[in-house]
Amino acid sequence: MERTRATPKPAQGGPAGPRVTRDAVLDTAMRLVMETGTEGLSMRKLAAELGVAVTSIYWHVGNREALIDELVERVLQDMGTIRVTGRTPVTRIVSIAQANRRMILDRPHLISLVRERGLESLMMLPARRALVREFAAAGVHGARAALAVQAVQFQVAGFVMLERALTGHPQEPAQVQAWLAEVAEGDPELADNLHTPGAPDALFDVAVRSMVESLLRED
Amino acid sequence: MERTRATPKPAQGGPAGPRVTRDAVLDTAMRLVMETGTEGLSMRKLAAELGVAVTSIYWHVGNREALIDELVERVLQDMGTIRVTGRTPVTRIVSIAQANRRMILDRPHLISLVRERGLESLMMLPARRALVREFAAAGVHGARAALAVQAVQFQVAGFVMLERALTGHPQEPAQVQAWLAEVAEGDPELADNLHTPGAPDALFDVAVRSMVESLLRED
DNA sequence: ACCTGAACACCGTTCAAGT
DNA sequence: ACCTGAACACCGTTCAAGT
């Protein structure tokens, strides 16, 4: 919305241009976020990376919050649109959910940014549009459509935010290991598949498909 | 596991006891987390609150990470057990999911702690145990049971982590407001119910129930 | 218009020293 | 056993001052 300063075209033969531009600041900031997440982005590191005093960053972008806002907007531009495939309502809607999940998983920095600012709803917008359209085509309208769309999107967003957290943790407190082992005693096949993250793709597919089928069933 | 120091009983008439005990540190830390979340818990504020030098905290609990670990363990103790109600497999399993969600929502500090340390799996353990039992009683075992349990728990955890993020944000960037308005044009009833968080309880119920029904259906 | 250093108020953590 | 102050290496942010 309100950029702090406009970035002028770099003048060629005129007076020496600025040492950094607003765009350069944002580019470097985005690179830092992609490399180390939001918690690895500090105003001072950013300034050092650009070879400039910290205070210069403030002149270009305002403050850290405004900087993150700008990064969020950039990533949103990059989200693209949802491709819907399939011919039955169920497969088409499931394909939207899958594309939504893929889009987010392919952009880990998006999760980091969105978490920091509590903007989870933003990353669901393109898919939301597509879901509204598909449910309408399947004859679901009004309050029932709202419920269906939200149910699918909660599923997608929750799945994405969790599968990274629930799968990637090698060292858990010892007590937890013991509890986990105890949960499935007597069914070793269950135990194996319960602890290994397994195939999140298959899990996601089953979960979403079963829910969509129920949502589309007349009651 | 390995507590940094043991907390002795406060001696009555003997030599003057310690100015703070390990338990007092943990109590105050927990209070700070409940009031302001993990990001409001700093070693220095904690020391000030206890009327003691910062370095004293370090002697009692090691460092901030160990302190948080200890708080997590405390909250886990407090999680209690899952009450299963209902007579059909579907209602019993849905009741577990609902109790799981309630337990977490009733403990906002649990979410804060678990997020900071990436221990999402911990808060799912009691319900996991109950789910394994109920799916087994319904004749679901082995890999299929693992899939079913994980599907339900991803649903629960995702729902909980999201419903706070997706519902509570009054001021979103202006561009988002515009997008939201555009998504549901032509169906005002849909628009209303899509933007208002509405009834997350009902939404959760529909989502979980429909998924459990599918998971229990023979294929 | 653009950049600087100094300064303020915060962090977590270590260490040597006190009793 | 328990606590202290000093110190280090970090933060975000403001401000007056330079060109």
Side-chain angles (χ1 to χ4, degrees):
Chain A
M1 288 296 94
E2 7 69 318
R3 6 191 82 219
T4 314
R5 301 285 184 265
T7 303
K9 295 276 182 192
Q12 283 259 4
R19 298 169 56 92
V20 286
T21 62
R22 183 187 155 85
D23 279 340
V25 170
L26 294 176
D27 286 344
T28 306
M30 185 65 92
R31 182 167 58 75
L32 285 180
V33 168
M34 290 201 272
E35 286 169 7
T36 58
T38 20
E39 75 274 15
L41 172 68
S42 84
M43 303 298 271
R44 298 178 112 106
K45 253 191 278 184
L46 178 54
E49 201 86 5
L50 287 161
V52 95
V54 211
T55 42
S56 183
I57 306 291
Y58 281 83
W59 191 87
H60 280 290
V61 297
N63 58 21
R64 190 173 187 276
E65 195 183 335
L67 171 59
I68 301 248
D69 277 349
E70 197 59 37
L71 294 183
V72 169
E73 198 163 328
R74 280 197 169 200
V75 182
L76 290 186
Q77 306 289 352
D78 171 55
M79 279 197 315
T81 67
I82 297 289
R83 260 175 40 94
V84 189
T85 65
R87 284 191 315 280
T88 72
V90 171
T91 55
R92 289 178 66 81
I93 289 166
V94 170
S95 83
I96 295 172
Q98 276 166 337
N100 196 181
R101 169 165 171 266
R102 265 286 129 242
M103 184 273 288
I104 298 170
L105 286 183
D106 288 345
R107 293 166 179 77
H109 49 291
L110 176 61
I111 299 186
S112 182
L113 285 168
V114 140
R115 270 209 178 186
E116 161 123 4
R117 303 280 285 115
L119 294 175
E120 280 79 352
S121 55
L122 289 205
M123 64 186 190
M124 312 307 290
L125 261 183
R128 167 162 298 205
R129 188 182 267 109
L131 284 172
V132 165
R133 204 183 308 119
E134 289 303 323
F135 274 112
V140 183
H141 304 278
R144 214 175 133 234
L147 190 83
V149 169
Q150 285 184 311
V152 172
Q153 295 226 281
F154 266 69
Q155 176 94 329
V156 172
F159 216 91
V160 166
M161 315 272 322
L162 273 178
E163 65 181 306
R164 317 198 76 229
L166 287 183
T167 56
H169 290 288
Q171 78 292 26
E172 273 168 334
Q175 173 149 17
V176 181
Q177 305 282 10
W179 287 1
L180 282 173
E182 184 195 352
V183 165
E185 55 186 11
D187 190 338
E189 192 195 351
L190 167 62
D192 280 357
N193 289 280
L194 206 52
H195 303 162
T196 64
D201 291 306
L203 177 58
F204 181 76
D205 199 73
V206 168
V208 170
R209 185 179 309 274
S210 64
M211 200 173 71
V212 172
E213 281 168 358
S214 284
L215 289 170
L216 287 181
R217 222 185 325 270
E218 305 298 327
D219 45 338
Chain B
M1 293 296 97
E2 8 66 317
R3 7 190 81 217
T4 313
R5 300 285 185 265
T7 303
K9 294 277 182 192
Q12 283 261 1
R19 297 169 56 91
V20 285
T21 63
R22 183 185 155 85
D23 279 342
V25 171
L26 294 175
D27 287 344
T28 307
M30 186 65 91
R31 181 167 58 75
L32 285 180
V33 168
M34 289 201 275
E35 287 169 5
T36 57
T38 20
E39 74 275 13
L41 172 68
S42 85
M43 303 299 269
R44 298 179 113 106
K45 253 191 278 185
L46 178 54
E49 200 88 4
L50 287 160
V52 94
V54 210
T55 43
S56 183
I57 306 290
Y58 281 83
W59 191 88
H60 281 289
V61 297
N63 56 22
R64 190 173 187 276
E65 195 183 334
L67 170 60
I68 301 246
D69 277 349
E70 197 60 37
L71 294 184
V72 168
E73 200 162 326
R74 279 197 169 199
V75 182
L76 290 186
Q77 305 288 354
D78 171 54
M79 279 198 311
T81 68
I82 296 289
R83 260 175 40 95
V84 189
T85 64
R87 285 191 316 281
T88 72
V90 171
T91 56
R92 288 178 67 81
I93 289 167
V94 170
S95 84
I96 295 172
Q98 277 166 337
N100 196 181
R101 169 165 172 265
R102 264 287 130 241
M103 184 272 288
I104 299 170
L105 286 183
D106 289 344
R107 293 166 179 77
H109 48 293
L110 176 60
I111 298 187
S112 183
L113 285 168
V114 140
R115 270 208 176 189
E116 161 121 3
R117 304 279 286 112
L119 295 174
E120 282 76 354
S121 55
L122 290 204
M123 66 185 189
M124 312 308 290
L125 261 181
R128 167 162 297 206
R129 189 182 266 108
L131 284 173
V132 166
R133 204 184 306 119
E134 289 302 326
F135 274 111
V140 183
H141 305 278
R144 212 174 134 235
L147 191 83
V149 169
Q150 284 184 312
V152 172
Q153 295 225 280
F154 266 68
Q155 175 95 331
V156 172
F159 215 91
V160 166
M161 314 271 322
L162 273 178
E163 64 182 306
R164 318 197 75 230
L166 287 183
T167 56
H169 290 289
Q171 79 289 26
E172 274 167 335
Q175 172 149 18
V176 180
Q177 305 282 11
W179 288 1
L180 281 171
E182 184 195 351
V183 166
E185 55 186 11
D187 190 338
E189 191 194 351
L190 167 62
D192 280 357
N193 288 280
L194 207 51
H195 303 161
T196 62
D201 292 305
L203 177 58
F204 180 77
D205 199 73
V206 168
V208 171
R209 186 178 308 275
S210 63
M211 199 172 71
V212 172
E213 280 168 359
S214 285
L215 289 170
L216 287 180
R217 219 185 328 270
E218 304 298 327
D219 45 340

